[in-house]
Amino acid sequence: MCTGERGTDEQAKPLPVKTAQEEPTSYTCSGLLESQFLIEQITVPELSRPWRSSSDSHMSDQWVWDVHCAPAQVKLSSNLEAAYFHTDPVDQSTGTVAVRGSKGFEDGEHYWEIVFLEPPAGTSVMVGVGTSRALLSADYCEYVNLIGVDKESWGLSYKGYAWHGGLCHGYCEPFFDRFTVIGCRLDMYRGTLSFSCNGHDLGIAFSGLPRGEGPLYPIVSSSATETELELGVRTCRYLSLQGKCLSVVKNCLGDVSKVDKLPLPECIKQIIHDW
């Protein structure tokens, strides 16, 4: 019989701890040629300006938790910005469940914050992203690190481990405090996911995230009773044509040393290097 968990220090199912490997990414020559053509249409004076111009600044975003995909063990606030896990006073926790955001991201740079209204505890409390196929619930009485349990999601546990494909690697110090704020930064141009803790940048946790294969959704999960997670700041930023050209060129090259071999003016090569 499942007794649930309430602030225990029970360990997740033992899985091998390995350094996550970047997924290989291939690029076509046609994408590079197209980007070179677009760059040629931009005058040198325009390219000499910083690519992070005012038109590229982050804008407020208004997505919330998706009420249509929330398991029964997850209750949402009236404004759909806070998620309350395993609130039933009788059943308590009966496994690991998750809820995802109402908006998926296929391009752009996206930032959002998750506020821990109660101290994280138990086997697993996680934040991250996943595809539309990512699991939102484990089996009955199964307490696991759900975000990252397979290749459909990428997640960070409050114990400091980053998970993907059933494997994990040490990423940061554990965080246990109430009102901890975890910032999530998803860069769909570079295919990276990074985190911050209370404003301190923790660096890139995952690279090689799929692009052009469908949207990635914000996800939070918990196995512990009375976990409370609330959305904070949400912003997005989309590159200008100039930024998109630079992004495609650099991604196609792979090795930044190849920039010098491009048949481009030196000032443009320098901008690609700096980007």
Side-chain angles (χ1 to χ4, degrees):
M1 178 178 178
C2 178
T3 59
E5 70 174 31
R6 179 188 293 273
T8 66
D9 194 26
E10 178 186 353
Q11 298 298 316
K13 281 189 171 182
L15 290 172
V17 178
K18 298 183 179 180
T19 300
Q21 300 294 319
E22 295 186 9
E23 298 179 4
T25 308
S26 60
Y27 304 99
T28 63
C29 293
S30 60
L32 176 57
L33 293 175
E34 179 181 0
S35 299
Q36 291 176 339
F37 173 79
L38 291 173
I39 284 182
E40 290 171 358
Q41 311 310 305
I42 304 175
T43 63
V44 172
E46 181 179 358
L47 270 176
S48 65
R49 297 197 300 267
W51 73 276
R52 292 182 182 275
S53 62
S54 59
S55 61
D56 287 333
S57 60
H58 281 263
M59 304 173 291
S60 176
D61 210 348
Q62 301 299 320
W63 59 269
V64 293
W65 298 123
D66 191 347
V67 66
H68 301 294
C69 71
Q73 298 94 324
V74 181
K75 305 300 181 184
L76 301 179
S77 61
S78 58
N79 62 3
L80 305 182
E81 293 185 354
Y84 308 102
F85 293 78
H86 308 292
T87 59
D88 191 301
V90 177
D91 290 338
Q92 299 184 11
S93 174
T94 57
T96 312
V97 291
V99 62
R100 75 184 187 200
S102 59
K103 180 180 180 180
F105 308 125
E106 296 192 71
D107 67 343
E109 298 175 9
H110 304 271
Y111 176 79
W112 63 97
E113 294 179 346
I114 305 296
V115 183
F116 286 66
L117 300 180
E118 295 293 338
T123 299
S124 177
V125 182
M126 304 186 74
V127 301
V129 301
T131 70
S132 60
R133 300 177 296 276
L135 293 175
L136 297 180
S137 63
D139 291 338
Y140 183 72
C141 286
E142 185 178 19
Y143 302 100
V144 296
N145 291 288
L146 188 59
I147 307 177
V149 72
D150 56 25
K151 293 187 177 182
E152 301 296 335
S153 57
W154 298 256
L156 173 64
S157 163
Y158 79 96
K159 296 180 180 179
Y161 291 96
W163 287 83
H164 173 62
L167 303 176
C168 69
H169 65 270
Y171 173 69
C172 66
E173 292 297 320
F175 44 94
F176 302 104
D177 296 335
R178 185 184 185 190
F179 298 130
T180 294
V181 178
I182 298 298
C184 309
R185 188 177 299 276
L186 176 65
D187 188 337
M188 294 301 292
Y189 296 119
R190 293 177 173 84
T192 60
L193 176 63
S194 56
F195 299 96
S196 62
C197 182
N198 296 326
H200 174 66
D201 184 12
L202 300 175
I204 294 176
F206 302 102
S207 59
L209 273 68
R211 290 168 288 173
E213 301 178 15
L216 295 180
Y217 295 84
I219 306 179
V220 291
S221 71
S222 178
S223 63
T225 300
E226 298 178 354
T227 300
E228 300 182 7
L229 303 174
E230 184 176 39
L231 284 170
V233 173
R234 284 147 285 165
T235 65
C236 60
R237 184 172 82 99
Y238 296 93
L239 294 181
S240 63
L241 176 60
Q242 172 182 323
K244 290 180 179 179
C245 290
L246 294 172
S247 177
V248 172
V249 169
K250 203 160 187 179
N251 286 335
C252 286
L253 292 174
D255 184 355
V256 70
S257 65
K258 296 179 181 178
V259 171
D260 294 328
K261 299 179 181 180
L262 294 176
L264 298 172
E266 290 301 320
C267 62
I268 297 180
K269 292 180 184 178
Q270 187 59 50
I271 291 172
I272 297 175
H273 271 295
D274 295 341
W275 193 89

